[in-house]
Amino acid sequence: MKKSLIVGVAVGALALFGIAWAAAPVLAAQALIRAAKAGDEDRIEQLVDFPALRESLKSELNAELMARMSRDPRVADSGLGGLGMMLAPMILSGAVDAVVTPQVVAHMVTTAEAPDPTRRPVPEPAGDEADGDDIHQAWGYRSLNEFAVTLTDRDQPDDHLALILERRGLFDWKLAAVDLQTGPAA
């Protein structure tokens, strides 16, 4: 009887550990979304790995910029197009370093839009604009150490912004990357 009680307690503890381990990224993602909607910059700073997020954004935005430039016949046929394609990543890199702040992360989460380093920072939305009702969220693991929250604005269903949370320890997760999935140009 004592042995079965010990086994039962061990199995229960293991099950609770497994549930907590699996639920940790969901709780972190929900905390990030709540902090973004509330404009809680201190909480956002705790939930985001800014150096990793900046590197991810640089990579994603550079890839999108290069794709746009290569499709533009004015750039592709121009002698200066190649120079522009060489300089654009350096300029974009500096802009992303300056632009990615807790306010920009909050804007990304509430609008499902990646930051545009060529524009000035967007003022915080007031009232009903920040409620995020038009944003569809899809949640899921990409691997044991990556969890994605894919945001889609219902007005632009072909464009998705995936927020990638990465495991930092056993139960700690941080926003460390984004995945921009832009649909066909209209």
Side-chain angles (χ1 to χ4, degrees):
M1 173 117 157
K2 210 173 198 186
K3 184 178 179 182
S4 65
L5 178 63
I6 292 171
V7 169
V9 168
V11 168
L14 195 57
L16 284 175
F17 175 83
I19 291 169
W21 186 82
V26 174
L27 297 174
Q30 288 176 341
L32 178 64
I33 291 168
R34 280 192 307 272
K37 287 182 179 181
D40 186 351
E41 294 178 23
D42 292 334
R43 184 69 177 135
I44 291 172
E45 284 186 27
Q46 294 172 358
L47 295 166
V48 177
D49 178 351
F50 279 99
L53 180 61
R54 286 183 182 107
E55 288 303 314
S56 173
L57 268 170
K58 287 175 192 177
S59 173
E60 290 289 322
L61 292 174
N62 274 328
E64 184 176 331
L65 179 63
M66 290 301 149
R68 283 185 185 179
M69 289 176 77
S70 65
R71 286 191 308 257
D72 188 347
R74 295 173 299 177
V75 174
D77 296 338
S78 167
L80 294 176
L83 179 63
M85 290 179 85
M86 287 177 22
L87 293 176
M90 291 185 293
I91 295 168
L92 186 66
S93 176
V96 167
D97 286 339
V99 167
V100 177
T101 63
Q103 299 93 348
V104 170
V105 171
H107 181 74
M108 281 189 335
V109 171
T110 57
T111 64
E113 294 177 2
D116 183 351
T118 62
R119 290 188 316 211
R120 292 191 150 189
V122 178
E124 290 188 29
D128 293 337
E129 295 176 27
D131 63 5
D133 286 341
D134 288 344
I135 306 300
H136 177 265
Q137 301 172 2
W139 305 61
Y141 277 94
R142 287 193 169 182
S143 70
L144 287 177
N145 295 318
E146 281 189 350
F147 186 84
V149 179
T150 304
L151 306 173
T152 308
D153 187 340
R154 295 184 198 281
D155 296 335
Q156 299 172 336
D158 290 335
D159 295 343
H160 311 284
L161 174 67
L163 306 173
I164 312 297
L165 284 80
E166 292 181 355
R167 185 180 305 278
R168 303 284 196 258
L170 202 53
F171 296 105
D172 192 26
W173 290 78
K174 290 193 182 266
L175 175 61
V178 293
D179 186 5
L180 304 177
Q181 303 154 358
T182 305

